[in-house]
């Protein structure tokens, strides 16, 4: 409770400072809109015009599907790279190369391949989230303590049984980090892809900029940031605590 109060006070202070800067007209009221006017745009967008409701629903649907695919594909690739030296030396090099390529770079190719639309945006999200998931699962399995593996073999675990019942559970903390990174990269990729795609928060933000509605631009930025906070503190943190407690990693 104390932590929540501190955060509320911190953000309240930020909003107050923001309003003071707006009143002083330090950067121009059109370029630096009032937070109160931005919150008014939030209200209008959700409860009057419905434009933000539609955009948010579209974006959340895309990130849910793209994120799920990225986690599944990344986990499979990570397991393959961690358990196969040949795959690690060949496919692993490709993964290392691709993870250094910003996901938005793939958008022009995706637009040509899939003729625009949601499929192109999903393609960019999956590429953005797959590689961090792959590398974290790979490193998590590779970093399993040798003593644990030797003990499991002494107990009769071999082959796939050793991988599924010992190595993968032991790599859970690293996999959780991969899930977090996969979400972060996928969410950023979504916003960038929607700037050139159709619908969603990203496209709405670009349209608001074109009409010089900076209050709506700030409102959409607030939504993007709040979604990040909700996912981190209301989804990832509780899941992390439960998983770590379940596997005996909780302190």
């Amino acid at each position: 409770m104390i932590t929540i109060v501190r955060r509320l006070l911190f953000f309240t202070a930020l909003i107050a400072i923001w309003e003071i800067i707006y009143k002083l007209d330090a950067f121009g009221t059109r370029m630096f809109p009032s937070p109160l006017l931005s919150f008014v745009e939030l209200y209008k967008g959700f409860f009057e015009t419905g434009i933000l409701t539609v955009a948010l629903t579209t974006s959340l649907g895309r990130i849910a599907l793209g994120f799920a695919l990225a986690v599944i594909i990344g986990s499979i690739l990570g397991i393959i790279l961690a358990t196969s030296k040949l795959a690690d030396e060949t496919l692993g090099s490709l993964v290392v190369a691709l993870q250094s390529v910003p996901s938005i770079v793939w958008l022009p190719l995706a637009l040509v391949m899939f003729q625009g639309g949601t499929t192109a945006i999903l393609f960019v999200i999956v590429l953005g989230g797959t590689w961090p998931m792959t590398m974290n699962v790979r490193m998590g399995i590779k970093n399993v303590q040798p003593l644990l593996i030797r003990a499991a073999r002494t107990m009769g675990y071999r082959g796939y049984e050793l991988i599924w019942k010992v190595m993968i559970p032991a790599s859970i903390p690293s996999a959780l980090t991969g899930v977090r990174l996969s979400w972060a990269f996928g969410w950023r990729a979504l916003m960038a892809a929607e700037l050139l795609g159709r619908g969603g928060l990203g496209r709405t933000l670009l349209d608001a900029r074109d009409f010089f509605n900076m209050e709506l631009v700030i409102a959409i930025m607030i939504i993007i940031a709040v979604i990040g906070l909700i996912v981190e503190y209301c989804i990832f943190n509780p899941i992390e605590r439960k998983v770590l407690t379940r596997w005996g990693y909780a302190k």
Side-chain angles (χ1 to χ4, degrees):
M1 181 61 68
I2 295 178
T3 301
I4 295 175
V5 172
R6 286 174 177 171
R7 286 171 179 161
L8 288 175
L9 291 175
F10 172 73
F11 284 109
T12 301
L14 284 182
I15 294 173
I17 294 172
W18 178 0
E19 181 67 21
I20 292 172
I21 295 175
Y22 168 78
K23 294 293 185 181
L24 294 175
D25 195 16
F27 302 100
T29 55
R30 291 303 302 163
M31 296 301 296
F32 194 83
S34 166
L36 299 180
L37 294 178
S38 297
F39 289 127
V40 169
E41 285 293 333
L42 277 174
Y43 177 83
K44 290 180 179 179
F46 280 114
F47 301 105
E48 292 185 7
T49 65
I51 185 174
L52 292 180
T53 302
V54 174
L56 179 59
T57 302
T58 301
S59 293
L60 290 179
R62 288 168 174 170
I63 188 60
L65 180 56
F67 172 64
L69 289 173
V71 169
I72 293 171
I73 296 171
S75 298
I76 294 173
L77 285 175
I79 293 171
I80 292 173
L81 297 183
T83 56
S84 172
K85 184 177 181 180
L86 176 61
D88 196 28
E89 293 176 347
T90 53
L91 181 59
S93 300
L94 178 61
V95 171
V96 171
L98 290 177
Q99 74 169 349
S100 64
V101 179
S103 54
I104 190 60
V105 172
W106 293 95
L107 185 58
L109 179 61
L111 292 174
V112 173
M113 291 172 58
F114 303 106
Q115 302 300 311
T118 299
T119 305
I121 295 174
L122 285 174
F123 179 76
V124 174
I125 297 172
V126 172
L127 284 176
T130 295
W131 313 133
M133 188 67 197
T134 300
M135 297 307 295
N136 275 273
V137 170
R138 171 187 175 275
M139 291 305 299
I141 294 176
K142 279 186 168 292
N143 288 334
V144 174
Q145 296 181 5
L147 181 61
L148 181 62
I149 295 176
R150 288 198 296 269
R153 284 173 176 165
T154 301
M155 297 173 64
Y157 289 96
R158 293 289 187 277
Y160 289 107
E161 191 177 30
L162 178 65
I163 295 173
W164 288 107
K165 293 186 177 180
V166 179
M167 299 176 71
I168 291 180
S171 68
I172 289 295
S174 183
L176 286 174
T177 301
V179 171
R180 268 197 169 97
L181 291 175
S182 181
W183 157 262
F185 281 95
W187 183 240
R188 295 171 189 171
L190 169 65
M191 292 300 108
E194 286 183 341
L195 291 175
L196 300 178
R198 302 171 187 171
L201 291 173
R203 186 66 203 187
T204 306
L205 185 147
L206 187 63
D207 292 340
R209 187 214 63 177
D210 291 340
F211 286 101
F212 212 70
N213 187 349
M214 300 309 295
E215 290 81 7
L216 183 56
V217 169
I218 297 297
I220 294 173
M221 292 172 64
I222 292 173
I223 293 173
I224 294 171
V226 169
I227 292 298
L229 288 175
I230 292 174
V231 170
E232 177 64 27
Y233 291 115
C234 298
I235 298 179
F236 284 146
N237 277 358
I239 289 176
E240 182 181 48
R241 285 195 296 268
K242 290 181 180 179
V243 170
L244 294 182
T245 301
R246 169 65 179 82
W247 292 105
Y249 291 108
K251 295 181 180 180

